[in-house]
Amino acid sequence: MAQQTMYPAIANSPGTELSAALTTAATTIAVVDATKLPAAPNVFTIGTDESSETVLYTGKSGNSLTGCTRGFDGTTPKAWAIGSKVARYYTAYDHEAFRKNLTDLSGVTSESTTDIVLSAGQQILNATKNARLQGLKVQGRTLIDLLGGAGSGESLVGWTQNGTTATTLSSTQKRSGSTAFKFSPSAGASYITKDFTSPLDASKYYVMAGWVFIESYVDGSLNLALRDVGTMTARYNMSINVSLLGQWQFVYFKIPTNNTLLGTGYRLTAGSTGSGTNVTYMDEIRLYAVSAADYAAIGTTITGEAIDRLLPYVPPGINGVDGLWVRRYGKNLLPPTPSLLGSIATPIGPYDLIFASSSANQVSRVVGEVIPNTVYTLSVKHNATIRVVGGDTAVNVVNSTTAQTVTFNSGANTTLYITLVCTAIGTFYFKDWQLEIGSTVSPFQPREDSLIAFGGVELHANPTDGSEPDILREVNGRYEVTKLWREMVLDGSLSWGYHASTTGAKGVYANLLAPAAIAAGASPNTAAIAIKYNGNSLPRDGNVNIADTYAINSVSSRVYVVVSSTDSGWGDSYTPTSDEIKAYFNGWRMYTDGQPAATNVYSGTGTKAWAKKNDAGGIVEASGVFVVPLTSNDSLTGRYQLLYRLAAVTMETVQEDGSLSLLEGDNFIEVGSGYVSRERATPVWESTGNKYHLNNAGLIGNTLKYRADKILRIFRDSRQDDRWMVLDFVSAFGKQLATIPAADYDPSASYSVSYIKLDKSPVPSVSGFYAATEKAQLHDLTDAVIEISSAVSTLAAKKAEKDAGPWITPSTLLNGFTGNQLSYRKNGNYVEFKGFAFYNVIDAPGGTIIMNLPAGFRPLSFVNLPTTSWGDTGALSPSAIGVYVGIDGIVQLSVPSKRNVLFDGLRFPLD
């Protein structure tokens, strides 16, 4: 292969600026100081973020760069404003030139690497070499539980009780959360029903699933079923194995296209419908629309609990692949400290405990995660008795033994409790515990996991068929997301307005983004879905006149929601203000003071009052608030949500935590979601034990934002602090909390936590490759060095952006303009804007003042900024207008404008 040209760099990548505006077709480019760029031929970059353009130039003449190839190496040629940043940064072309030339010289080919695909959940991968995972790629998914969380097992609100024995909520057996549904008929029936008034689309495929635990069974008809709405005519029913006692079983059924459900909706039934005697629990009941491919695979190539991993139970609302992580467990699968520490045990250090046993059979244990039906070897140095107990089955996998090493099969378990039993009164030790895959005993080594994770990154796809997914991939050593979807919360932070009334409901709207930000489609737009605060899907209705429906306009970028008077408290004769609409979307209900807060509607007379709604469908407080509440009501955890297809693909660079390396031989790997990166934490002191706690729900002010499944790392002033003990504990907010002795706690330090959320989200498969030969490993090492250089150059490229001031939202706009999506900031010698302003009348006259910029944000001379405006129904097409900025900071229209004025991308120099 011919060697590819590698262009010289310039030390420290000094920057300059365009000295004249640039069109997309220009091939001669004028800069302020061309000495800041290397001699020709070479490349340079205009811009500092993912929208930047790479340019190849073949000559320099003074401060002009000539013979320019615009949009070099796949970037996009753009029109650039005077003053745009220019520098010789490290580019994708540089990286690929290095990579291809080194590949050519080294003889490394695709045969030197091994492609891998990691599925959701746990698996064992056998690697031929020690190597790092490269080329990671993952596609987004979106899951929306059409039951709106009704099958969570956490509440009976909305369900109808049936049979001779009432259904209860029980914490005795549960799959997740605090409780599950419990049915315990005695020579009778015990079941619940719930009617859903939105019919299933006959053109789509659906899967319904759940978990069932049978504690005891004599007889009775156990079922989870979909029936015709309002009837007991069963159409689709799950098969439940009544012989499986004392364990959870996963059950499901498939609903094909052209389903046979009659009526405008369907009825869900759960429990024991026939006369009988049994004790049964049900949990995590869900209903999803799925793609044709997944529908065909479920029950054939995807079976049993693999279906649960493909379609996990998710909280109400719109759920994408949130916080992807891939973890390679250490060769030693056991942690350095016990998960549950007995009061008699004293930790001497990592993998070292001393017991002062006051009676026989006192215990402590360490929890290890395993793959079912796999051979493992446990080695422990001790002078007591050890046993292995299945975490799922709660039976002995290895009976009590004094052996220092035991080999066994994990059976059906996914977790094992390695238990030390003190056989008598006395002092015992327990150290260097190690659990490893296979039957060969290796020398002891501490656990060293390898993790790569993407906190704060959520990937979506079409929620119906999984098409057009967001894609996360590694590109030149960095990670990028190709975004096709945007999810947003429709709460009181948006600019809301009143649209129209219909009997028993009001239509309201919110302005979302600049024009054409939403993909065009039929009216109403088909590339969007909306969810109510209670998790129920909102049907689309283009006429915007039916309660609990929505519509979206791709031209005006406006979403319409029809709210029932029962929900809002707005009577038919009353028109809510913008702030009152915001209050509703923040979880408040209006009513007339002195009347029932949950049912009364305000019709324009009497004193207006506001009460908080709650998750159970009721009202938290009836005493009322008499000033429109603009704060969020945290008693209602749900909010309206919207997911829509973007009109144009966007690229975002994302930051990963860690990197993933593989060990030669068997690797225990898990792919999951829900990773939260370095969330700020506030430890709280607790007098018992003189310790500080994190994520203890029994103490005030120390819990994390989300319920924690696993606490991975705790940081003190950005450095990992290994002195914390992480425990599975009943008072944890979720499953785990952490403690540290008061003597080891630094009250002046800043603490943060990386953890995995307990609430589930979809987990995709992950593809990548690793170096499989010595030459490929050498090439991998060289690539890693290049990627570090790229990262350093990227930081330099973004320095100007990071040095910019914060975005400022104007506290007040003038003359009828509003704009909580309008902001400005100082960036170097420029003031720049983003967002838009909205006028509350149909047209805004020329000369209308929009706002005043404060001192320090004003030009030295009058400037005119060309932009566009757009209107509402009947005036949707953008129109060219101008915005004047005076030396006194006044920002005003140069000509008459439609209702929306675009500021996004406008900038002016300060001198």
Side-chain angles (χ1 to χ4, degrees), residues 105-156:
L105 293 171
S106 68
V108 174
T109 67
S110 60
E111 296 177 355
S112 306
T113 61
T114 299
D115 293 331
I116 60 173
V117 176
L118 302 173
S119 58
Q122 299 175 337
Q123 60 233 275
I124 293 177
L125 170 71
N126 186 277
T128 57
K129 297 288 182 183
N130 291 334
R132 64 182 183 128
L133 176 66
Q134 300 180 76
L136 184 148
K137 179 180 178 182
V138 60
Q139 296 185 349
R141 291 181 59 211
T142 300
L143 286 179
I144 299 171
D145 180 9
L146 299 179
L147 304 180
S152 66
E154 302 296 302
S155 173
L156 288 167

Short mmCIF file of all heavy atoms in Angstrom, two decimals, residues 105-156:
data_model
loop_
_atom_site.label_atom_id
_atom_site.label_comp_id
_atom_site.label_asym_id
_atom_site.label_seq_id
_atom_site.Cartn_x
_atom_site.Cartn_y
_atom_site.Cartn_z
N LEU A 105 3.31 -0.75 7.43
CA LEU A 105 4.67 -1.14 7.78
C LEU A 105 4.73 -2.37 8.66
O LEU A 105 5.65 -3.18 8.58
CB LEU A 105 5.37 0.03 8.48
CG LEU A 105 5.64 1.28 7.61
CD1 LEU A 105 6.14 2.42 8.47
CD2 LEU A 105 6.64 0.95 6.50
N SER A 106 3.74 -2.52 9.53
CA SER A 106 3.77 -3.63 10.50
C SER A 106 3.24 -4.93 9.93
O SER A 106 3.48 -5.99 10.48
CB SER A 106 2.95 -3.26 11.73
OG SER A 106 1.57 -3.18 11.39
N GLY A 107 2.48 -4.84 8.84
CA GLY A 107 1.88 -6.04 8.29
C GLY A 107 0.65 -6.49 9.02
O GLY A 107 0.14 -7.59 8.80
N VAL A 108 0.12 -5.65 9.94
CA VAL A 108 -1.09 -6.00 10.68
C VAL A 108 -2.29 -5.88 9.75
O VAL A 108 -2.47 -4.87 9.09
CB VAL A 108 -1.28 -5.09 11.90
CG1 VAL A 108 -2.61 -5.36 12.56
CG2 VAL A 108 -0.14 -5.31 12.88
N THR A 109 -3.12 -6.90 9.69
CA THR A 109 -4.32 -6.90 8.85
C THR A 109 -5.52 -7.22 9.72
O THR A 109 -5.40 -7.45 10.91
CB THR A 109 -4.19 -7.94 7.73
OG1 THR A 109 -4.19 -9.24 8.33
CG2 THR A 109 -2.92 -7.75 6.93
N SER A 110 -6.69 -7.25 9.08
CA SER A 110 -7.90 -7.59 9.82
C SER A 110 -7.82 -9.00 10.40
O SER A 110 -8.50 -9.31 11.37
CB SER A 110 -9.12 -7.47 8.90
OG SER A 110 -9.00 -8.35 7.79
N GLU A 111 -6.96 -9.85 9.80
CA GLU A 111 -6.81 -11.20 10.34
C GLU A 111 -6.05 -11.20 11.66
O GLU A 111 -6.00 -12.20 12.36
CB GLU A 111 -6.08 -12.07 9.31
CG GLU A 111 -6.87 -12.26 8.02
CD GLU A 111 -6.11 -13.06 6.99
OE1 GLU A 111 -4.94 -13.39 7.26
OE2 GLU A 111 -6.68 -13.37 5.93
N SER A 112 -5.39 -10.07 11.98
CA SER A 112 -4.64 -9.97 13.22
C SER A 112 -5.50 -9.58 14.41
O SER A 112 -5.00 -9.48 15.53
CB SER A 112 -3.51 -8.94 13.07
OG SER A 112 -2.70 -9.24 11.95
N THR A 113 -6.76 -9.31 14.16
CA THR A 113 -7.67 -8.93 15.24
C THR A 113 -8.83 -9.92 15.29
O THR A 113 -9.12 -10.61 14.31
CB THR A 113 -8.22 -7.51 15.03
OG1 THR A 113 -8.95 -7.45 13.81
CG2 THR A 113 -7.08 -6.49 14.99
N THR A 114 -9.48 -9.96 16.44
CA THR A 114 -10.64 -10.84 16.62
C THR A 114 -11.85 -10.00 16.95
O THR A 114 -11.84 -9.22 17.90
CB THR A 114 -10.38 -11.83 17.77
OG1 THR A 114 -9.25 -12.65 17.44
CG2 THR A 114 -11.60 -12.71 18.00
N ASP A 115 -12.89 -10.14 16.13
CA ASP A 115 -14.14 -9.43 16.37
C ASP A 115 -14.93 -10.14 17.46
O ASP A 115 -14.95 -11.38 17.53
CB ASP A 115 -14.99 -9.37 15.10
CG ASP A 115 -14.35 -8.51 14.02
OD1 ASP A 115 -13.60 -7.57 14.37
OD2 ASP A 115 -14.58 -8.77 12.82
N ILE A 116 -15.59 -9.36 18.32
CA ILE A 116 -16.41 -9.95 19.37
C ILE A 116 -17.75 -9.21 19.44
O ILE A 116 -17.85 -8.04 19.07
CB ILE A 116 -15.72 -9.89 20.75
CG1 ILE A 116 -15.44 -8.44 21.17
CG2 ILE A 116 -14.45 -10.71 20.76
CD1 ILE A 116 -14.93 -8.32 22.58
N VAL A 117 -18.75 -9.93 19.91
CA VAL A 117 -20.05 -9.34 20.21
C VAL A 117 -20.42 -9.77 21.61
O VAL A 117 -20.48 -10.96 21.91
CB VAL A 117 -21.13 -9.78 19.20
CG1 VAL A 117 -22.49 -9.22 19.62
CG2 VAL A 117 -20.79 -9.33 17.79
N LEU A 118 -20.64 -8.79 22.48
CA LEU A 118 -21.02 -9.06 23.86
C LEU A 118 -22.51 -8.82 24.01
O LEU A 118 -23.01 -7.74 23.68
CB LEU A 118 -20.25 -8.13 24.81
CG LEU A 118 -18.71 -8.23 24.73
CD1 LEU A 118 -18.07 -7.14 25.57
CD2 LEU A 118 -18.24 -9.60 25.17
N SER A 119 -23.22 -9.79 24.51
CA SER A 119 -24.67 -9.67 24.66
C SER A 119 -25.01 -9.02 25.98
O SER A 119 -24.16 -8.88 26.87
CB SER A 119 -25.34 -11.04 24.55
OG SER A 119 -24.82 -11.92 25.54
N ALA A 120 -26.26 -8.61 26.13
CA ALA A 120 -26.72 -8.02 27.38
C ALA A 120 -26.57 -9.04 28.51
O ALA A 120 -26.80 -10.24 28.34
CB ALA A 120 -28.17 -7.58 27.25
N GLY A 121 -26.17 -8.55 29.69
CA GLY A 121 -26.03 -9.43 30.84
C GLY A 121 -24.65 -10.04 30.96
O GLY A 121 -23.66 -9.51 30.45
N GLN A 122 -24.57 -11.20 31.63
CA GLN A 122 -23.29 -11.82 31.97
C GLN A 122 -22.93 -12.91 30.98
O GLN A 122 -23.80 -13.61 30.46
CB GLN A 122 -23.36 -12.40 33.39
CG GLN A 122 -23.63 -11.36 34.46
CD GLN A 122 -23.82 -11.96 35.84
OE1 GLN A 122 -24.17 -13.14 35.96
NE2 GLN A 122 -23.59 -11.18 36.88
N GLN A 123 -21.63 -13.05 30.74
CA GLN A 123 -21.13 -14.06 29.82
C GLN A 123 -19.65 -14.31 30.07
O GLN A 123 -19.00 -13.51 30.74
CB GLN A 123 -21.33 -13.62 28.36
CG GLN A 123 -20.61 -12.32 28.02
CD GLN A 123 -21.55 -11.32 27.41
OE1 GLN A 123 -21.75 -11.40 26.22
NE2 GLN A 123 -22.13 -10.42 28.18
N ILE A 124 -19.14 -15.40 29.52
CA ILE A 124 -17.71 -15.71 29.59
C ILE A 124 -17.14 -15.61 28.17
O ILE A 124 -17.67 -16.22 27.23
CB ILE A 124 -17.46 -17.10 30.18
CG1 ILE A 124 -17.87 -17.11 31.66
CG2 ILE A 124 -15.99 -17.49 30.04
CD1 ILE A 124 -17.73 -18.46 32.32
N LEU A 125 -16.08 -14.82 28.03
CA LEU A 125 -15.40 -14.66 26.74
C LEU A 125 -13.99 -15.19 26.88
O LEU A 125 -13.25 -14.80 27.80
CB LEU A 125 -15.37 -13.17 26.35
CG LEU A 125 -14.48 -12.82 25.15
CD1 LEU A 125 -15.10 -13.34 23.86
CD2 LEU A 125 -14.26 -11.32 25.07
N ASN A 126 -13.59 -16.06 25.98
CA ASN A 126 -12.23 -16.59 25.98
C ASN A 126 -11.39 -15.79 25.00
O ASN A 126 -11.67 -15.77 23.80
CB ASN A 126 -12.22 -18.07 25.62
CG ASN A 126 -10.82 -18.67 25.76
OD1 ASN A 126 -10.00 -18.55 24.88
ND2 ASN A 126 -10.58 -19.31 26.90
N ALA A 127 -10.39 -15.08 25.53
CA ALA A 127 -9.51 -14.26 24.69
C ALA A 127 -8.17 -14.97 24.50
O ALA A 127 -7.64 -15.59 25.42
CB ALA A 127 -9.28 -12.89 25.33
N THR A 128 -7.62 -14.85 23.31
CA THR A 128 -6.35 -15.52 23.00
C THR A 128 -5.15 -14.74 23.48
O THR A 128 -4.05 -15.29 23.60
CB THR A 128 -6.23 -15.74 21.48
OG1 THR A 128 -6.33 -14.48 20.81
CG2 THR A 128 -7.33 -16.66 20.98
N LYS A 129 -5.33 -13.43 23.76
CA LYS A 129 -4.23 -12.59 24.20
C LYS A 129 -4.72 -11.58 25.24
O LYS A 129 -5.91 -11.27 25.30
CB LYS A 129 -3.62 -11.81 23.02
CG LYS A 129 -2.99 -12.66 21.94
CD LYS A 129 -1.68 -13.28 22.40
CE LYS A 129 -1.04 -14.11 21.29
NZ LYS A 129 0.21 -14.77 21.77
N ASN A 130 -3.79 -11.08 26.06
CA ASN A 130 -4.09 -9.89 26.85
C ASN A 130 -4.19 -8.70 25.89
O ASN A 130 -3.24 -8.42 25.15
CB ASN A 130 -2.98 -9.61 27.87
CG ASN A 130 -2.94 -10.65 28.97
OD1 ASN A 130 -3.93 -11.29 29.27
ND2 ASN A 130 -1.77 -10.83 29.58
N ALA A 131 -5.30 -8.03 25.88
CA ALA A 131 -5.49 -6.93 24.93
C ALA A 131 -6.63 -6.05 25.40
O ALA A 131 -7.42 -6.43 26.27
CB ALA A 131 -5.80 -7.48 23.53
N ARG A 132 -6.73 -4.87 24.85
CA ARG A 132 -7.82 -3.97 25.19
C ARG A 132 -8.93 -4.07 24.15
O ARG A 132 -8.67 -4.38 22.98
CB ARG A 132 -7.34 -2.52 25.31
CG ARG A 132 -6.81 -1.93 24.03
CD ARG A 132 -6.31 -0.50 24.23
NE ARG A 132 -5.88 0.06 22.96
CZ ARG A 132 -6.29 1.22 22.47
NH1 ARG A 132 -7.16 1.94 23.13
NH2 ARG A 132 -5.85 1.65 21.30
N LEU A 133 -10.14 -3.81 24.57
CA LEU A 133 -11.27 -3.79 23.66
C LEU A 133 -11.22 -2.50 22.85
O LEU A 133 -11.11 -1.41 23.41
CB LEU A 133 -12.59 -3.86 24.43
CG LEU A 133 -13.87 -3.75 23.59
CD1 LEU A 133 -14.01 -4.96 22.67
CD2 LEU A 133 -15.08 -3.62 24.49
N GLN A 134 -11.29 -2.63 21.53
CA GLN A 134 -11.26 -1.48 20.64
C GLN A 134 -12.50 -1.47 19.75
O GLN A 134 -13.21 -2.47 19.64
CB GLN A 134 -10.01 -1.53 19.74
CG GLN A 134 -8.69 -1.51 20.47
CD GLN A 134 -7.54 -1.55 19.49
OE1 GLN A 134 -7.20 -0.56 18.85
NE2 GLN A 134 -6.93 -2.71 19.36
N GLY A 135 -12.71 -0.34 19.11
CA GLY A 135 -13.78 -0.24 18.12
C GLY A 135 -15.16 -0.47 18.69
O GLY A 135 -16.06 -0.94 18.00
N LEU A 136 -15.34 -0.13 19.98
CA LEU A 136 -16.64 -0.36 20.61
C LEU A 136 -17.75 0.35 19.85
O LEU A 136 -17.63 1.50 19.46
CB LEU A 136 -16.59 0.12 22.06
CG LEU A 136 -17.82 -0.11 22.93
CD1 LEU A 136 -17.38 -0.34 24.38
CD2 LEU A 136 -18.76 1.06 22.89
N LYS A 137 -18.85 -0.36 19.65
CA LYS A 137 -20.01 0.20 18.96
C LYS A 137 -21.27 -0.37 19.59
O LYS A 137 -21.36 -1.56 19.87
CB LYS A 137 -19.97 -0.16 17.47
CG LYS A 137 -21.16 0.37 16.67
CD LYS A 137 -21.05 -0.04 15.21
CE LYS A 137 -22.24 0.44 14.40
NZ LYS A 137 -22.17 0.00 12.98
N VAL A 138 -22.25 0.50 19.81
CA VAL A 138 -23.51 0.06 20.40
C VAL A 138 -24.64 0.90 19.83
O VAL A 138 -24.47 2.09 19.56
CB VAL A 138 -23.46 0.18 21.94
CG1 VAL A 138 -23.21 1.60 22.38
CG2 VAL A 138 -24.72 -0.34 22.58
N GLN A 139 -25.78 0.30 19.63
CA GLN A 139 -26.95 0.98 19.10
C GLN A 139 -27.99 1.19 20.19
O GLN A 139 -28.12 0.40 21.12
CB GLN A 139 -27.57 0.17 17.97
CG GLN A 139 -26.67 0.01 16.76
CD GLN A 139 -27.35 -0.71 15.62
OE1 GLN A 139 -28.43 -1.27 15.76
NE2 GLN A 139 -26.74 -0.69 14.45
N GLY A 140 -28.72 2.29 20.09
CA GLY A 140 -29.72 2.63 21.06
C GLY A 140 -30.98 1.78 20.94
O GLY A 140 -31.24 1.15 19.91
N ARG A 141 -31.75 1.76 22.02
CA ARG A 141 -33.06 1.13 22.05
C ARG A 141 -33.98 1.99 22.91
O ARG A 141 -33.51 2.75 23.76
CB ARG A 141 -32.99 -0.29 22.66
CG ARG A 141 -32.27 -1.31 21.82
CD ARG A 141 -32.29 -2.66 22.50
NE ARG A 141 -33.66 -3.12 22.73
CZ ARG A 141 -34.03 -3.89 23.76
NH1 ARG A 141 -33.14 -4.26 24.67
NH2 ARG A 141 -35.27 -4.28 23.89
N THR A 142 -35.26 1.86 22.70
CA THR A 142 -36.24 2.58 23.52
C THR A 142 -37.32 1.61 23.96
O THR A 142 -37.89 0.89 23.13
CB THR A 142 -36.88 3.75 22.74
OG1 THR A 142 -35.86 4.66 22.35
CG2 THR A 142 -37.89 4.49 23.61
N LEU A 143 -37.60 1.59 25.27
CA LEU A 143 -38.67 0.77 25.81
C LEU A 143 -39.67 1.67 26.54
O LEU A 143 -39.28 2.54 27.31
CB LEU A 143 -38.13 -0.27 26.79
CG LEU A 143 -37.39 -1.48 26.20
CD1 LEU A 143 -36.91 -2.40 27.31
CD2 LEU A 143 -38.27 -2.24 25.22
N ILE A 144 -40.94 1.45 26.27
CA ILE A 144 -42.01 2.18 26.93
C ILE A 144 -43.04 1.15 27.39
O ILE A 144 -43.66 0.46 26.56
CB ILE A 144 -42.68 3.20 25.98
CG1 ILE A 144 -41.63 4.23 25.51
CG2 ILE A 144 -43.84 3.89 26.67
CD1 ILE A 144 -42.14 5.14 24.42
N ASP A 145 -43.20 1.02 28.70
CA ASP A 145 -44.16 0.07 29.25
C ASP A 145 -45.57 0.62 29.02
O ASP A 145 -45.95 1.64 29.62
CB ASP A 145 -43.89 -0.13 30.73
CG ASP A 145 -44.86 -1.12 31.38
OD1 ASP A 145 -45.62 -1.78 30.65
OD2 ASP A 145 -44.86 -1.21 32.62
N LEU A 146 -46.33 -0.05 28.18
CA LEU A 146 -47.68 0.44 27.85
C LEU A 146 -48.64 0.32 29.03
O LEU A 146 -49.73 0.89 29.00
CB LEU A 146 -48.23 -0.32 26.64
CG LEU A 146 -47.40 -0.16 25.35
CD1 LEU A 146 -48.02 -0.97 24.22
CD2 LEU A 146 -47.27 1.29 24.96
N LEU A 147 -48.23 -0.41 30.07
CA LEU A 147 -49.05 -0.50 31.27
C LEU A 147 -48.80 0.69 32.20
O LEU A 147 -49.47 0.82 33.24
CB LEU A 147 -48.78 -1.81 32.02
CG LEU A 147 -48.97 -3.09 31.21
CD1 LEU A 147 -48.67 -4.31 32.09
CD2 LEU A 147 -50.38 -3.17 30.65
N GLY A 148 -47.83 1.54 31.87
CA GLY A 148 -47.57 2.74 32.65
C GLY A 148 -47.16 2.48 34.08
O GLY A 148 -47.42 3.28 34.97
N GLY A 149 -46.49 1.35 34.33
CA GLY A 149 -46.04 1.03 35.68
C GLY A 149 -47.08 0.34 36.54
O GLY A 149 -46.83 0.07 37.71
N ALA A 150 -48.26 0.04 35.97
CA ALA A 150 -49.31 -0.60 36.77
C ALA A 150 -48.89 -1.98 37.27
O ALA A 150 -49.36 -2.45 38.30
CB ALA A 150 -50.59 -0.73 35.94
N GLY A 151 -47.97 -2.64 36.54
CA GLY A 151 -47.53 -3.98 36.93
C GLY A 151 -46.31 -3.99 37.81
O GLY A 151 -45.67 -5.04 37.96
N SER A 152 -45.97 -2.86 38.42
CA SER A 152 -44.76 -2.77 39.24
C SER A 152 -44.84 -3.56 40.53
O SER A 152 -43.83 -3.87 41.15
CB SER A 152 -44.46 -1.31 39.58
OG SER A 152 -45.47 -0.78 40.42
N GLY A 153 -46.08 -3.86 40.99
CA GLY A 153 -46.24 -4.52 42.28
C GLY A 153 -46.05 -3.59 43.46
O GLY A 153 -45.99 -4.04 44.61
N GLU A 154 -46.00 -2.28 43.19
CA GLU A 154 -45.78 -1.29 44.25
C GLU A 154 -47.06 -0.61 44.70
O GLU A 154 -47.07 0.07 45.73
CB GLU A 154 -44.79 -0.22 43.77
CG GLU A 154 -43.44 -0.75 43.34
CD GLU A 154 -42.68 -1.41 44.47
OE1 GLU A 154 -42.42 -0.73 45.47
OE2 GLU A 154 -42.36 -2.61 44.34
N SER A 155 -48.16 -0.74 43.93
CA SER A 155 -49.40 -0.04 44.27
C SER A 155 -50.60 -0.79 43.69
O SER A 155 -50.51 -1.38 42.61
CB SER A 155 -49.37 1.39 43.72
OG SER A 155 -50.61 2.04 43.91
N LEU A 156 -51.71 -0.70 44.41
CA LEU A 156 -52.98 -1.28 43.93
C LEU A 156 -53.93 -0.18 43.45
O LEU A 156 -55.07 -0.49 43.07
CB LEU A 156 -53.64 -2.10 45.04
CG LEU A 156 -52.95 -3.43 45.36
CD1 LEU A 156 -53.48 -4.00 46.67
CD2 LEU A 156 -53.18 -4.43 44.21
#
